Amino acid sequence: MSGSPIYETFARVPLAFERGEGAFLFTTDGERYLDFAAGIAVNALGHSHPHLVAALTEQAGKLWHVSNLYEIPAQTRLAERLVEASFADKVFFTNSGAEALECAIKTARRYHYVSGHPERFRTITFEGAFHGRTLATIAAGGQEKYLEGYGPKVEGFDQVPFGDLEAVEKAITPETAAILIEPVQGEGGIRAVPAATLKKLRELADKHGLLLIFDEVQCGVGRTGKLFAHEWAGIAPDLMAIAKGIGGGFPMGACLATDEAARGMTAGVHGTTFGGNPLAMAVGNAVLDVVLAEGFLEDVQRKALLLKQGLAAVADEFPTVIADIRGSGLMLGLKCVVPNKDLNNALRDQHMLAVTAGDNVIRLLPPLTVTDGEIHDALARLRAAAGSLAGTAAVAAQ
Ligand SMILES: *Cc1c(COP(=O)(O)O)cnc(C)c1O
């Protein structure tokens, strides 16, 4: 054996955290980091949120796991609440985002199958998309770097350029089953799909009898200041995958569907061992207690504006480092002039955590519970980080 006993698939930063509190993480050496990465939008309520800790520990003393062969009341309750708060009528719980997408893709294929059209199995996706790392979801994402070396790409995915409605229309064939899109691309570089484009996709789906699938694994559950990002566009999908934020750090995901879209999903056609497990459901319900509380999402919108305006001021101050601010709610991107990795490292030198994304962007995904004070703290650290790079960037430009 050489090096770490862990697969070398992640280029890890040599930092280990042992404790978290709200928007802060503490290393094993006792150093404190301001966490504007939040586990890539997973720790939606920050670290060690008292309501989540109580829900998980209380459930842990009662029952950890029962098979989906039995009724799981907390699962029914969480599904009822998600249905109540969304377009959906039915929910399937999973352990991860990729599995939620797999369920959505399978549901769309089954819908056409039971409607007498087994030939309709193809899904249209968009360049820059990220839908997970299973064999089907890397095919859906269509990124060469994730597909390489894994044999023939899973059949049934047709990719078109980001936001190109004409290309979507051209890509629709008698075999098309669905259109799959992230309302705000995460890994692709915090690229929000314009509301008009989402509306047009809804129209195209209706016109051609396709199912519209939204991947809200990263942008859902309050991240943009609405419970779901597509609410800003005033339209709804037929199917939606969520994950990251709904577990607040506990691994879970869900596929939400209308009754019509889910009509092919009958007993025995899909399953999961761990999905919808009582521990996950206790936490998922606790996350919703907080996110759906009166005024919570309005406050996310208010704080998002504060952060975005502050970021715009820093970008103005350091135009050789940051070109532009983009994104929605507390899902913001800094389009960098310098390599995004350099800015990410400079932020880490300031003891602040962010995440890189495609298109030379730095993602800022603070906990939705972030305070105004922590936002000002983050802006000061960003200013220091940008300042440390501005000198070298100016010299390089000469
Ligand atoms: C993270 C992510 C996924 C994959 O989720 P996993 O839990 O890693 O499988 C899918 N879609 C989007 C938009 C994501 O951000």
Side-chain angles (χ1 to χ4, degrees):
M1 193 196 75
S2 69
S4 164
I6 312 284
Y7 265 35
E8 310 283 349
T9 51
F10 286 99
R12 291 171 198 270
V13 174
L15 269 181
F17 299 104
E18 64 173 0
R19 192 165 66 80
E21 209 182 293
F24 286 94
L25 277 169
F26 298 84
T27 66
T28 44
D29 312 329
E31 295 200 33
R32 198 172 84 125
Y33 282 75
L34 180 58
D35 186 9
F36 268 46
I40 316 188
V42 166
N43 302 103
L45 304 183
H47 301 281
S48 309
H49 191 289
H51 188 58
L52 302 199
V53 172
L56 182 61
T57 49
E58 194 198 322
Q59 185 59 44
K62 284 201 238 163
L63 180 64
W64 287 26
H65 180 82
V66 279
S67 167
N68 278 305
L69 293 171
Y70 307 100
E71 299 284 343
I72 301 176
Q75 197 183 107
T76 309
R77 175 149 183 270
L78 182 53
E80 278 168 0
R81 296 174 79 188
L82 288 169
V83 162
E84 172 72 22
S86 76
F87 69 94
D89 304 304
K90 290 233 171 323
V91 183
F92 184 92
F93 289 104
T94 67
N95 311 289
S96 67
E99 286 169 288
L101 264 307
E102 289 267 348
C103 180
I105 295 161
K106 286 178 77 175
T107 302
R109 291 184 180 193
R110 278 287 299 185
Y111 166 80
H112 291 288
Y113 175 80
V114 298
S115 305
H117 290 285
E119 77 285 0
R120 298 185 74 166
F121 72 100
R122 307 193 69 86
T123 298
I124 296 171
T125 67
F126 294 82
E127 277 171 16
F130 181 80
H131 299 300
R133 298 295 200 107
T134 62
L135 288 168
T137 55
I138 56 174
Q143 297 204 40
E144 225 20 78
K145 64 180 176 186
Y146 296 149
L147 285 159
E148 189 187 349
Y150 293 116
K153 191 174 120 177
V154 169
E155 253 289 72
F157 297 95
D158 301 305
Q159 197 155 66
V160 299
F162 180 79
D164 188 340
L165 288 165
E166 244 170 73
V168 174
E169 207 152 6
K170 274 199 202 121
I172 297 171
T173 73
E175 291 187 346
T176 307
I179 300 170
L180 165 60
I181 191 165
E182 294 158 81
V184 185
Q185 274 191 357
E187 309 288 320
I190 312 290
R191 294 196 292 177
V193 180
T197 305
L198 291 179
K199 281 191 182 126
K200 186 74 199 188
L201 290 176
R202 178 70 274 174
E203 278 171 37
L204 280 176
D206 291 342
K207 180 173 158 198
H208 295 275
L210 313 177
L211 297 182
L212 183 60
I213 310 173
F214 286 161
D215 178 348
E216 293 222 15
V217 168
Q218 193 164 147
C219 63
V221 195
R223 182 53 52 191
T224 66
K226 297 263 190 205
L227 186 59
F228 300 114
H230 68 264
E231 293 172 26
W232 291 107
I235 47 105
D238 303 293
L239 291 159
M240 177 171 70
I242 61 171
K244 297 194 164 97
I246 187 65
F250 199 93
M252 68 173 292
C255 175
L256 280 65
T258 62
D259 271 331
E260 175 69 5
R263 44 189 288 255
M265 303 311 276
T266 46
V269 306
H270 192 48
T272 172
T273 297
F274 295 116
N277 147 310
L279 293 171
M281 296 301 101
V283 180
N285 274 302
V287 167
L288 282 193
D289 291 343
V290 176
V291 173
L292 294 178
E294 181 79 36
F296 183 86
L297 291 171
E298 289 72 15
D299 202 44
V300 169
Q301 292 176 25
R302 184 191 61 77
K303 292 183 292 190
L305 191 63
L306 180 69
L307 177 58
K308 200 170 190 178
Q309 285 171 340
L311 294 173
V314 178
D316 280 349
E317 202 177 325
F318 299 101
T320 58
V321 180
I322 301 164
D324 201 10
I325 310 301
R326 53 167 80 164
S328 173
L330 289 175
M331 184 174 184
L332 294 172
L334 312 176
K335 168 79 177 169
C336 296
V337 181
V338 297
N340 58 355
K341 282 200 179 73
D342 292 358
L343 183 55
N344 203 34
N345 291 339
L347 282 169
R348 206 179 314 115
D349 290 342
Q350 302 298 327
H351 282 204
M352 172 167 159
L353 304 178
V355 206
T356 58
D359 204 23
N360 204 33
V361 162
I362 290 283
R363 268 180 282 183
L364 298 180
L365 303 160
L368 306 181
T369 49
V370 69
T371 64
D372 291 16
E374 286 155 357
I375 288 172
H376 291 301
D377 184 348
L379 291 169
R381 291 177 204 239
L382 175 64
R383 197 169 285 116
S388 73
L389 294 174
T392 45
V395 169
Q398 277 168 13

